Amino acid sequence: MSKGNATENDFVKFVANGVAMPSYGANLQINLHTDDPGEAGTAATNVATYGGYAPQSVSRDAAGWTICDGIAPYAANPAGSGFKNAATITFPERNDVGTDIIRYVSITVVATGQILYKTRLKDGGLDFDLPVSLNSTPFFPAGTLIFAED
């Protein structure tokens, strides 16, 4: 898992210079990407383009995320270094032809698209790429979308 460059810079300024962390808002945006958005990317970098796609919003609280251990089996642990979705996250159904192969998922700031965390699906608790074709509805059952500190 990794953070975007802007988020890393926010944290370094917080630790080293006492600069307050920016407000990331009450919700986080979950995005699907067909390829790595990169360290300098945003929510829009290599984002899924299928008909009907829209990023999903998840609250920044215990209803949205469960704090867990940062290594498998990712057991719930209030002192853990990771977090996983507390409820199923469902994206809109694809309503056009073609296939997008989803390889990355990012969590971003709703207002700016700044990447807070990104993960390759094969590294984030799941072990496959996610093909999305006509009438497919991508979703992540509770506890399967995992982000952790390295």
Side-chain angles (χ1 to χ4, degrees), residues 85-128:
N85 55 316
T88 298
I89 301 171
T90 303
F91 288 82
E93 179 180 298
R94 183 178 187 136
N95 61 19
D96 63 354
V97 296
T99 301
D100 282 15
I101 305 297
I102 305 304
R103 293 183 175 92
Y104 285 81
V105 176
S106 70
I107 294 180
T108 61
V109 177
V110 174
T112 65
Q114 174 182 335
I115 293 176
L116 301 177
Y117 287 89
K118 66 181 177 95
T119 188
R120 174 86 163 94
L121 284 180
K122 290 189 177 192
D123 297 333
L126 302 175
D127 193 22
F128 56 87

Side-chain angles (χ1 to χ4, degrees), residues 1 28 64-70 74 80-85 107 116-117 145-149:
M1 257 97 348
L28 298 172
W65 303 98
T66 301
I67 304 302
C68 64
D69 291 331
Y74 306 105
S81 63
F83 59 102
K84 57 187 175 181
N85 55 316
I107 294 180
L116 301 177
Y117 287 89
L145 191 55
I146 300 160
F147 296 88
E149 291 299 315

